[in-house]
mmCIF file of all heavy atoms in Angstrom:
data_model
loop_
_atom_site.group_PDB
_atom_site.id
_atom_site.type_symbol
_atom_site.label_atom_id
_atom_site.label_comp_id
_atom_site.label_asym_id
_atom_site.label_seq_id
_atom_site.Cartn_x
_atom_site.Cartn_y
_atom_site.Cartn_z
ATOM 1 N N LEU A 1 94.132 118.227 99.272
ATOM 2 C CA LEU A 1 95.179 117.236 99.000
ATOM 3 C C LEU A 1 95.036 116.008 99.901
ATOM 4 O O LEU A 1 95.991 115.577 100.560
ATOM 5 C CB LEU A 1 96.578 117.851 99.193
ATOM 6 C CG LEU A 1 96.826 119.253 98.621
ATOM 7 C CD1 LEU A 1 98.245 119.706 98.924
ATOM 8 C CD2 LEU A 1 96.559 119.298 97.129
ATOM 9 N N ASN A 2 93.843 115.439 99.927
ATOM 10 C CA ASN A 2 93.568 114.303 100.816
ATOM 11 C C ASN A 2 94.171 113.019 100.247
ATOM 12 O O ASN A 2 93.486 112.189 99.640
ATOM 13 C CB ASN A 2 92.057 114.140 101.009
ATOM 14 C CG ASN A 2 91.721 113.148 102.108
ATOM 15 O OD1 ASN A 2 92.533 112.321 102.498
ATOM 16 N ND2 ASN A 2 90.505 113.241 102.620
ATOM 17 N N MET A 3 95.472 112.845 100.462
ATOM 18 C CA MET A 3 96.176 111.707 99.886
ATOM 19 C C MET A 3 95.822 110.359 100.525
ATOM 20 O O MET A 3 95.787 109.340 99.822
ATOM 21 C CB MET A 3 97.686 111.948 99.932
ATOM 22 C CG MET A 3 98.162 113.014 98.952
ATOM 23 S SD MET A 3 97.645 112.699 97.240
ATOM 24 C CE MET A 3 98.589 111.238 96.865
ATOM 25 N N PRO A 4 95.553 110.290 101.834
ATOM 26 C CA PRO A 4 95.133 108.987 102.373
ATOM 27 C C PRO A 4 93.864 108.454 101.695
ATOM 28 O O PRO A 4 93.788 107.266 101.359
ATOM 29 C CB PRO A 4 94.888 109.282 103.859
ATOM 30 C CG PRO A 4 95.801 110.425 104.158
ATOM 31 C CD PRO A 4 95.770 111.270 102.916
ATOM 32 N N LEU A 5 92.886 109.340 101.449
ATOM 33 C CA LEU A 5 91.657 108.920 100.765
ATOM 34 C C LEU A 5 91.959 108.582 99.305
ATOM 35 O O LEU A 5 91.457 107.589 98.771
ATOM 36 C CB LEU A 5 90.600 110.017 100.855
ATOM 37 C CG LEU A 5 89.252 109.718 100.182
ATOM 38 C CD1 LEU A 5 88.644 108.439 100.735
ATOM 39 C CD2 LEU A 5 88.294 110.901 100.351
ATOM 40 N N ALA A 6 92.779 109.409 98.662
ATOM 41 C CA ALA A 6 93.142 109.153 97.261
ATOM 42 C C ALA A 6 93.835 107.796 97.120
ATOM 43 O O ALA A 6 93.563 107.044 96.183
ATOM 44 C CB ALA A 6 94.053 110.270 96.740
ATOM 45 N N MET A 7 94.716 107.466 98.076
ATOM 46 C CA MET A 7 95.425 106.187 98.019
ATOM 47 C C MET A 7 94.471 105.006 98.210
ATOM 48 O O MET A 7 94.683 103.933 97.620
ATOM 49 C CB MET A 7 96.531 106.135 99.076
ATOM 50 C CG MET A 7 97.762 106.963 98.727
ATOM 51 S SD MET A 7 98.512 106.550 97.126
ATOM 52 C CE MET A 7 99.004 104.852 97.408
ATOM 53 N N SER A 8 93.422 105.180 99.004
ATOM 54 C CA SER A 8 92.458 104.092 99.178
ATOM 55 C C SER A 8 91.760 103.779 97.859
ATOM 56 O O SER A 8 91.449 102.615 97.562
ATOM 57 C CB SER A 8 91.432 104.453 100.264
ATOM 58 O OG SER A 8 90.523 105.453 99.818
ATOM 59 N N ILE A 9 91.548 104.812 97.046
ATOM 60 C CA ILE A 9 90.925 104.616 95.728
ATOM 61 C C ILE A 9 91.919 103.964 94.766
ATOM 62 O O ILE A 9 91.561 103.096 93.969
ATOM 63 C CB ILE A 9 90.395 105.962 95.193
ATOM 64 C CG1 ILE A 9 89.285 106.483 96.105
ATOM 65 C CG2 ILE A 9 89.870 105.828 93.764
ATOM 66 C CD1 ILE A 9 89.142 107.965 96.162
ATOM 67 N N VAL A 10 93.176 104.378 94.849
ATOM 68 C CA VAL A 10 94.225 103.753 94.035
ATOM 69 C C VAL A 10 94.272 102.248 94.319
ATOM 70 O O VAL A 10 94.346 101.426 93.388
ATOM 71 C CB VAL A 10 95.598 104.399 94.335
ATOM 72 C CG1 VAL A 10 96.728 103.594 93.673
ATOM 73 C CG2 VAL A 10 95.635 105.842 93.845
ATOM 74 N N TRP A 11 94.195 101.873 95.582
ATOM 75 C CA TRP A 11 94.243 100.454 95.947
ATOM 76 C C TRP A 11 92.992 99.704 95.483
ATOM 77 O O TRP A 11 93.072 98.523 95.125
ATOM 78 C CB TRP A 11 94.442 100.294 97.454
ATOM 79 C CG TRP A 11 95.870 100.489 97.862
ATOM 80 C CD1 TRP A 11 96.392 101.509 98.587
ATOM 81 C CD2 TRP A 11 96.972 99.641 97.532
ATOM 82 N NE1 TRP A 11 97.736 101.368 98.729
ATOM 83 C CE2 TRP A 11 98.128 100.228 98.104
ATOM 84 C CE3 TRP A 11 97.101 98.459 96.815
ATOM 85 C CZ2 TRP A 11 99.392 99.654 97.976
ATOM 86 C CZ3 TRP A 11 98.356 97.888 96.686
ATOM 87 C CH2 TRP A 11 99.488 98.479 97.261
ATOM 88 N N GLU A 12 91.835 100.372 95.494
ATOM 89 C CA GLU A 12 90.616 99.738 94.966
ATOM 90 C C GLU A 12 90.817 99.346 93.499
ATOM 91 O O GLU A 12 90.441 98.258 93.069
ATOM 92 C CB GLU A 12 89.423 100.690 95.085
ATOM 93 C CG GLU A 12 88.788 100.759 96.465
ATOM 94 C CD GLU A 12 87.532 101.625 96.449
ATOM 95 O OE1 GLU A 12 86.710 101.469 95.518
ATOM 96 O OE2 GLU A 12 87.396 102.465 97.360
ATOM 97 N N VAL A 13 91.413 100.271 92.743
ATOM 98 C CA VAL A 13 91.673 99.998 91.322
ATOM 99 C C VAL A 13 92.713 98.892 91.181
ATOM 100 O O VAL A 13 92.559 97.962 90.381
ATOM 101 C CB VAL A 13 92.141 101.282 90.604
ATOM 102 C CG1 VAL A 13 92.504 100.982 89.148
ATOM 103 C CG2 VAL A 13 91.072 102.363 90.673
ATOM 104 N N ALA A 14 93.781 98.993 91.974
ATOM 105 C CA ALA A 14 94.872 98.006 91.886
ATOM 106 C C ALA A 14 94.369 96.590 92.179
ATOM 107 O O ALA A 14 94.795 95.621 91.537
ATOM 108 C CB ALA A 14 95.989 98.381 92.859
ATOM 109 N N LYS A 15 93.447 96.471 93.137
ATOM 110 C CA LYS A 15 92.974 95.146 93.572
ATOM 111 C C LYS A 15 91.711 94.677 92.838
ATOM 112 O O LYS A 15 91.160 93.630 93.175
ATOM 113 C CB LYS A 15 92.705 95.188 95.078
ATOM 114 C CG LYS A 15 93.958 95.377 95.918
ATOM 115 C CD LYS A 15 93.629 95.503 97.399
ATOM 116 C CE LYS A 15 94.884 95.686 98.234
ATOM 117 N NZ LYS A 15 94.561 95.841 99.683
ATOM 118 N N HIS A 16 91.268 95.455 91.860
ATOM 119 C CA HIS A 16 90.045 95.075 91.140
ATOM 120 C C HIS A 16 90.216 93.665 90.547
ATOM 121 O O HIS A 16 91.251 93.355 89.940
ATOM 122 C CB HIS A 16 89.760 96.079 90.020
ATOM 123 C CG HIS A 16 88.365 95.991 89.493
ATOM 124 N ND1 HIS A 16 87.973 95.013 88.601
ATOM 125 C CD2 HIS A 16 87.258 96.742 89.734
ATOM 126 C CE1 HIS A 16 86.695 95.180 88.311
ATOM 127 N NE2 HIS A 16 86.236 96.218 88.989
ATOM 128 N N PRO A 17 89.221 92.805 90.743
ATOM 129 C CA PRO A 17 89.362 91.411 90.295
ATOM 130 C C PRO A 17 89.541 91.246 88.791
ATOM 131 O O PRO A 17 90.192 90.303 88.340
ATOM 132 C CB PRO A 17 88.064 90.747 90.780
ATOM 133 C CG PRO A 17 87.110 91.873 91.023
ATOM 134 C CD PRO A 17 87.949 93.030 91.445
ATOM 135 N N LYS A 18 88.945 92.142 88.006
ATOM 136 C CA LYS A 18 89.121 92.066 86.556
ATOM 137 C C LYS A 18 90.439 92.740 86.171
ATOM 138 O O LYS A 18 90.708 93.875 86.575
ATOM 139 C CB LYS A 18 87.959 92.750 85.828
ATOM 140 C CG LYS A 18 86.646 91.987 85.914
ATOM 141 C CD LYS A 18 85.576 92.665 85.075
ATOM 142 C CE LYS A 18 84.273 91.882 85.112
ATOM 143 N NZ LYS A 18 83.211 92.544 84.311
ATOM 144 N N LYS A 19 91.252 92.029 85.407
ATOM 145 C CA LYS A 19 92.542 92.568 84.980
ATOM 146 C C LYS A 19 92.360 93.190 83.601
ATOM 147 O O LYS A 19 92.125 92.502 82.618
ATOM 148 C CB LYS A 19 93.607 91.476 84.945
ATOM 149 C CG LYS A 19 93.766 90.760 86.292
ATOM 150 C CD LYS A 19 93.970 91.735 87.436
ATOM 151 C CE LYS A 19 93.806 91.092 88.791
ATOM 152 N NZ LYS A 19 93.714 92.090 89.871
ATOM 153 N N SER A 20 92.473 94.533 83.565
ATOM 154 C CA SER A 20 92.082 95.274 82.371
ATOM 155 C C SER A 20 93.081 96.368 82.042
ATOM 156 O O SER A 20 93.559 97.094 82.932
ATOM 157 C CB SER A 20 90.699 95.896 82.610
ATOM 158 O OG SER A 20 90.424 96.904 81.696
ATOM 159 N N LYS A 21 93.377 96.513 80.742
ATOM 160 C CA LYS A 21 94.244 97.606 80.298
ATOM 161 C C LYS A 21 93.636 98.964 80.635
ATOM 162 O O LYS A 21 94.359 99.945 80.855
ATOM 163 C CB LYS A 21 94.487 97.495 78.791
ATOM 164 C CG LYS A 21 95.584 96.506 78.416
ATOM 165 C CD LYS A 21 95.882 96.561 76.934
ATOM 166 C CE LYS A 21 97.181 95.842 76.587
ATOM 167 N NZ LYS A 21 97.256 94.481 77.084
ATOM 168 N N THR A 22 92.327 99.033 80.668
ATOM 169 C CA THR A 22 91.646 100.286 81.019
ATOM 170 C C THR A 22 92.018 100.703 82.439
ATOM 171 O O THR A 22 92.273 101.889 82.699
ATOM 172 C CB THR A 22 90.116 100.119 80.916
ATOM 173 O OG1 THR A 22 89.789 99.667 79.608
ATOM 174 C CG2 THR A 22 89.408 101.437 81.190
ATOM 175 N N LEU A 23 92.063 99.741 83.361
ATOM 176 C CA LEU A 23 92.441 100.047 84.745
ATOM 177 C C LEU A 23 93.929 100.366 84.847
ATOM 178 O O LEU A 23 94.345 101.186 85.673
ATOM 179 C CB LEU A 23 92.072 98.886 85.661
ATOM 180 C CG LEU A 23 90.568 98.623 85.826
ATOM 181 C CD1 LEU A 23 90.327 97.458 86.765
ATOM 182 C CD2 LEU A 23 89.834 99.869 86.313
ATOM 183 N N ALA A 24 94.745 99.736 84.001
ATOM 184 C CA ALA A 24 96.177 100.075 83.962
ATOM 185 C C ALA A 24 96.361 101.532 83.544
ATOM 186 O O ALA A 24 97.163 102.269 84.132
ATOM 187 C CB ALA A 24 96.914 99.145 82.999
ATOM 188 N N GLN A 25 95.589 101.957 82.540
ATOM 189 C CA GLN A 25 95.660 103.348 82.078
ATOM 190 C C GLN A 25 95.167 104.307 83.159
ATOM 191 O O GLN A 25 95.678 105.417 83.294
ATOM 192 C CB GLN A 25 94.837 103.521 80.800
ATOM 193 C CG GLN A 25 95.457 102.879 79.568
ATOM 194 C CD GLN A 25 96.867 103.388 79.301
ATOM 195 O OE1 GLN A 25 97.105 104.587 79.198
ATOM 196 N NE2 GLN A 25 97.821 102.463 79.205
ATOM 197 N N LEU A 26 94.178 103.859 83.942
ATOM 198 C CA LEU A 26 93.676 104.689 85.040
ATOM 199 C C LEU A 26 94.741 104.851 86.120
ATOM 200 O O LEU A 26 94.956 105.955 86.635
ATOM 201 C CB LEU A 26 92.403 104.072 85.627
ATOM 202 C CG LEU A 26 91.694 104.899 86.708
ATOM 203 C CD1 LEU A 26 91.287 106.269 86.171
ATOM 204 C CD2 LEU A 26 90.463 104.148 87.223
ATOM 205 N N LEU A 27 95.428 103.765 86.458
ATOM 206 C CA LEU A 27 96.524 103.855 87.435
ATOM 207 C C LEU A 27 97.634 104.763 86.922
ATOM 208 O O LEU A 27 98.243 105.520 87.685
ATOM 209 C CB LEU A 27 97.083 102.454 87.727
ATOM 210 C CG LEU A 27 96.207 101.547 88.587
ATOM 211 C CD1 LEU A 27 96.801 100.143 88.647
ATOM 212 C CD2 LEU A 27 96.030 102.102 89.995
ATOM 213 N N LEU A 28 97.898 104.703 85.618
ATOM 214 C CA LEU A 28 98.905 105.567 85.012
ATOM 215 C C LEU A 28 98.478 107.037 85.122
ATOM 216 O O LEU A 28 99.307 107.923 85.368
ATOM 217 C CB LEU A 28 99.092 105.178 83.544
ATOM 218 C CG LEU A 28 100.426 105.526 82.879
ATOM 219 C CD1 LEU A 28 101.600 104.948 83.647
ATOM 220 C CD2 LEU A 28 100.440 105.040 81.444
ATOM 221 N N LYS A 29 97.178 107.279 84.965
ATOM 222 C CA LYS A 29 96.658 108.636 85.111
ATOM 223 C C LYS A 29 96.790 109.108 86.560
ATOM 224 O O LYS A 29 97.199 110.244 86.824
ATOM 225 C CB LYS A 29 95.190 108.687 84.673
ATOM 226 C CG LYS A 29 94.598 110.093 84.720
ATOM 227 C CD LYS A 29 93.171 110.120 84.179
ATOM 228 C CE LYS A 29 92.625 111.554 84.214
ATOM 229 N NZ LYS A 29 91.236 111.627 83.702
ATOM 230 N N PHE A 30 96.460 108.227 87.514
ATOM 231 C CA PHE A 30 96.599 108.571 88.937
ATOM 232 C C PHE A 30 98.055 108.857 89.291
ATOM 233 O O PHE A 30 98.348 109.639 90.194
ATOM 234 C CB PHE A 30 96.061 107.437 89.812
ATOM 235 C CG PHE A 30 94.561 107.260 89.777
ATOM 236 C CD1 PHE A 30 93.970 106.141 90.357
ATOM 237 C CD2 PHE A 30 93.732 108.210 89.181
ATOM 238 C CE1 PHE A 30 92.588 105.966 90.332
ATOM 239 C CE2 PHE A 30 92.350 108.050 89.152
ATOM 240 C CZ PHE A 30 91.782 106.917 89.735
ATOM 241 N N ASP A 31 98.971 108.205 88.555
ATOM 242 C CA ASP A 31 100.398 108.402 88.836
ATOM 243 C C ASP A 31 100.869 109.815 88.495
ATOM 244 O O ASP A 31 101.952 110.226 88.896
ATOM 245 C CB ASP A 31 101.239 107.367 88.087
ATOM 246 C CG ASP A 31 102.658 107.271 88.614
ATOM 247 O OD1 ASP A 31 102.839 107.323 89.848
ATOM 248 O OD2 ASP A 31 103.600 107.168 87.806
ATOM 249 N N LYS A 32 100.057 110.556 87.747
ATOM 250 C CA LYS A 32 100.375 111.972 87.525
ATOM 251 C C LYS A 32 100.370 112.727 88.853
ATOM 252 O O LYS A 32 101.046 113.750 88.992
ATOM 253 C CB LYS A 32 99.364 112.600 86.565
ATOM 254 C CG LYS A 32 99.485 112.115 85.128
ATOM 255 C CD LYS A 32 98.435 112.754 84.240
ATOM 256 C CE LYS A 32 98.538 112.262 82.803
ATOM 257 N NZ LYS A 32 97.478 112.841 81.946
ATOM 258 N N ILE A 33 99.609 112.221 89.818
ATOM 259 C CA ILE A 33 99.587 112.794 91.166
ATOM 260 C C ILE A 33 100.626 112.108 92.056
ATOM 261 O O ILE A 33 101.392 112.769 92.755
ATOM 262 C CB ILE A 33 98.192 112.646 91.805
ATOM 263 C CG1 ILE A 33 97.140 113.414 90.994
ATOM 264 C CG2 ILE A 33 98.209 113.142 93.258
ATOM 265 C CD1 ILE A 33 97.335 114.916 90.948
#
């Protein structure tokens, strides 16, 4: 349950320069955790 590492990946997706519905869906999937 390494949440600090998991959150660093969440932020990588959140800050990705390309604004994409695919990344929005990925963040929604991560939100299951």
Side-chain angles (χ1 to χ4, degrees):
L1 316 179
N2 190 340
M3 289 306 293
L5 180 56
M7 285 304 297
S8 72
I9 296 151
V10 170
W11 281 111
E12 280 186 45
V13 176
K15 293 176 180 179
H16 196 281
K18 289 185 178 179
K19 303 308 167 192
S20 163
K21 278 187 166 53
T22 304
L23 293 181
Q25 288 304 306
L26 185 59
L27 287 173
L28 204 56
K29 183 176 181 180
F30 290 170
D31 196 40
K32 290 179 181 178
I33 298 296

